[in-house]
Amino acid sequence: MPLVAIVGRPNVGKSTLFNRLTESRAAITHDEPGVTRDRVYGNAIWNGVEFDVVDTGGYVASSADRFEQAVREQVEIAVAEADLLLFVVDVKTGISDLDDDVAQMLRKAGKPVVVMANKADNEKLRWNASEFYALGLGDVIPVSAISGTGTGELMDEIVRQLPEGTKRPPGGGPRLAIVGRPNVGKSSLVNQLLGENRSIVTEISGTTRDSIDTVLKYHGQEITLIDTAGLRRKARVRENVEFYSVLRTQRAISESDVTILLLDATKGLESQDIKVLKEAESLRKGLLIAVNKWDLVEKETNTARDFQRELYDRLQTLSYVPVLFISALTRQRITKVIDGALRIYEERQKRVPTSKLNEVMLAAIERSHPPMYRNRYVKIKYASQIKSNPPVFAFFCNQPTGIRDPYRRYLENQMREIFGFEGVPLTFVFKKK
């Protein structure tokens, strides 16, 4: 998807605007300048057009302060990556020297710019926004990020100037994103699969900073492998370039068909890994877990089984995700990763005939009826698969709002038991009939 970067000097309301555009509270807002230290990213949609949004810290061009230097470098990285720049200024204070510095930096970037005059809370302030035409960056849109006034016009302008979404290049077949924490062996796995050193591999965490796409021919079929930058907890990120690798990893997941989460067998599953799986599940991508460095684990009879049980105990609703045990160093079972990902890719495109679907699911519903809703029986009449890749199923019933999460999970488990869909998130839609 296209990327919009929100930039400006400190304390002009960038984070408030970010929260307004993404309909979230992901960015911390405060009257004190410098609250936003790291880039925060999210997703926005307007009139059917979806795009990524990244919030940045306040840009101070000539400061010698180490903190402001670090923020400045982050802003410059965001500007370099963005497709469109949203320049936020403060209509109450007018043009400052810091605004001029930001404008100069944006002009050098050569990217399309939308100037947003924030804090235009009344008619007089909206008229004052015309002052910012002096920056020479095009039309100025007065907005109040706090109240939402003018955000419709702003979004219209953003969508108008956005480039078309990045289209997948022809060929390449299924796209497999290999993600995980730093130093779990992502690049080593890709190199072994390709038989060449396509990515730099060292013992230092975070060597790979950018996503790298490589086309692999596997038994005559073209596959695109995406070796992503390592994910790490925010508290452990040190270099500014690595802040942005998190966003790139998210974008790699969104562009993939199947996401392969690589774990270190000696360290197990961490909360960051669960977040990655949840993100891929929310985007309805195929999911596979590969446990690397299995050669370093002391094994007994049921070591793999016990390890898998511990994973599923923590993952709970993600127990449909298959787990493989591999070693990129010794090449142990590494081709099973591709085989498993291709199976999931095929499962993601599966279509179940309506007659067979109803035969199975209505029998399951008969065995265990939905709980009553507002003293009324909930009756599911029939089901149909309305989409594949990813699969979506519609259930037609008299009380759609009466279907709660536990019963949804029951239906999902029944469907998986008969039809498979291993590693594939399922979407159930309940419609009134």
Side-chain angles (χ1 to χ4, degrees):
M1 290 182 289
L3 177 65
V4 175
I6 301 175
V7 297
R9 64 175 175 83
N11 209 29
V12 291
K14 297 184 296 298
S15 295
T16 304
L17 176 66
F18 173 88
N19 290 341
R20 171 72 60 180
L21 297 185
T22 59
E23 297 182 340
S24 71
R25 292 182 177 269
I28 301 170
T29 58
H30 196 277
D31 289 338
E32 181 183 346
V35 170
T36 303
R37 300 186 178 188
D38 308 334
R39 288 187 298 280
V40 182
Y41 53 88
N43 186 257
I45 186 167
W46 184 254
N47 289 339
V49 178
E50 198 170 1
F51 53 93
D52 290 322
V53 185
V54 59
D55 183 23
T56 64
Y59 184 85
V60 181
S62 55
S63 173
D65 179 82
R66 286 186 64 188
F67 164 67
E68 290 183 336
Q69 285 178 340
V71 171
R72 183 166 67 244
E73 183 180 339
Q74 292 178 38
V75 174
E76 288 168 353
I77 293 169
V79 167
E81 292 291 325
D83 299 296
L84 185 143
L85 307 170
L86 187 52
F87 182 17
V88 183
V89 293
D90 187 339
V91 74
K92 291 184 177 178
T93 59
I95 297 176
S96 70
D97 292 341
L98 293 177
D99 290 321
D100 284 328
D101 291 338
V102 177
Q104 185 176 353
M105 183 263 294
L106 297 184
R107 276 192 288 270
K108 289 180 180 178
K111 306 280 182 76
V113 178
V114 175
V115 181
M116 192 208 92
N118 194 24
K119 307 181 184 179
D121 301 316
N122 56 49
E123 193 63 26
K124 180 182 177 183
L125 290 172
R126 290 175 68 84
W127 280 107
N128 290 347
S130 59
E131 172 188 358
F132 293 95
Y133 279 94
L135 294 170
L137 290 170
D139 288 341
V140 179
I141 301 176
V143 174
S144 171
I146 289 181
S147 69
T149 304
T151 51
E153 292 88 341
L154 175 66
M155 292 291 263
D156 285 341
E157 184 63 18
I158 290 172
V159 168
R160 189 183 70 80
Q161 293 204 40
L162 271 181
E164 288 187 12
T166 304
K167 293 181 180 177
R168 181 176 298 187
R175 292 178 63 86
L176 314 180
I178 301 175
V179 301
R181 299 190 309 276
N183 215 28
V184 294
K186 298 183 297 297
S187 295
S188 297
L189 175 59
V190 172
N191 290 343
Q192 290 282 27
L193 290 170
L194 295 173
E196 61 175 283
N197 288 329
R198 178 65 179 83
S199 304
I200 299 170
V201 182
T202 71
E203 292 299 318
I204 303 169
S205 297
T207 303
T208 304
R209 287 205 177 101
D210 296 337
S211 297
I212 302 170
D213 289 13
T214 310
V215 177
L216 164 70
K217 264 205 169 175
Y218 186 74
H219 297 305
Q221 181 177 7
E222 281 194 348
I223 300 164
T224 300
L225 297 178
I226 310 171
D227 174 21
T228 59
L231 292 176
R232 61 172 71 207
R233 288 193 188 93
K234 193 162 273 190
R236 295 180 59 193
V237 177
R238 291 292 177 265
E239 297 178 58
N240 276 321
V241 177
E242 291 184 0
F243 281 104
Y244 214 73
S245 72
V246 179
L247 175 57
R248 286 179 177 168
T249 299
Q250 273 218 338
R251 299 183 85 181
I253 292 172
S254 71
E255 292 167 6
S256 71
D257 297 304
V258 179
T259 295
I260 302 165
L261 175 66
L262 207 60
L263 302 181
D264 185 331
T266 63
K267 297 179 180 178
L269 186 75
E270 295 189 9
S271 57
Q272 184 73 13
D273 301 314
I274 298 174
K275 288 179 181 177
V276 172
L277 285 172
K278 291 288 188 183
E279 173 70 16
E281 183 187 43
S282 70
L283 294 172
R284 294 298 183 252
K285 304 300 179 180
L287 298 169
L288 174 66
I289 297 173
V291 183
N292 192 27
K293 306 184 185 180
W294 194 240
D295 56 308
L296 302 180
V297 175
E298 290 187 15
K299 300 173 189 66
E300 297 178 359
T301 306
N302 297 316
T303 304
R305 185 197 67 184
D306 294 342
F307 193 104
Q308 183 168 317
R309 280 182 177 174
E310 288 181 19
L311 285 181
Y312 287 154
D313 284 345
R314 292 195 61 193
L315 293 174
Q316 296 178 358
T317 58
L318 289 168
S319 59
Y320 63 87
V321 180
V323 179
L324 298 174
F325 297 91
I326 68 168
S327 170
L329 182 65
T330 66
R331 297 182 60 86
Q332 181 184 15
R333 288 188 290 272
I334 60 170
T335 57
K336 297 290 185 184
V337 175
I338 302 298
D339 292 335
L342 290 178
R343 274 198 310 273
I344 293 168
Y345 177 75
E346 294 298 327
E347 288 285 287
R348 197 165 175 258
Q349 300 180 80
K350 182 190 290 184
R351 271 201 171 272
V352 180
T354 302
S355 58
K356 182 66 175 176
L357 179 66
N358 280 280
E359 177 187 331
V360 169
M361 297 310 296
L362 292 181
I365 293 165
E366 190 64 32
R367 288 193 299 273
S368 177
H369 290 282
M372 292 183 68
Y373 177 69
R374 294 181 178 177
N375 294 321
R376 294 185 61 185
Y377 288 105
V378 179
K379 297 179 182 179
I380 299 177
K381 306 296 179 63
Y382 66 96
S384 175
Q385 183 174 359
I386 57 177
K387 188 178 182 296
S388 62
N389 195 28
V392 179
F393 296 90
F395 289 81
F396 297 87
C397 57
N398 63 336
Q399 295 284 336
T401 53
I403 307 293
R404 303 302 189 188
D405 284 342
Y407 197 76
R408 286 172 182 259
R409 286 194 290 273
Y410 166 74
L411 292 177
E412 180 177 339
N413 291 337
Q414 295 297 307
M415 185 171 292
R416 290 188 186 281
E417 188 176 319
I418 302 300
F419 300 116
F421 291 108
E422 184 184 39
V424 179
L426 302 179
T427 302
F428 287 176
V429 179
F430 294 88
K431 298 185 176 184
K432 190 170 181 63
K433 177 66 175 177

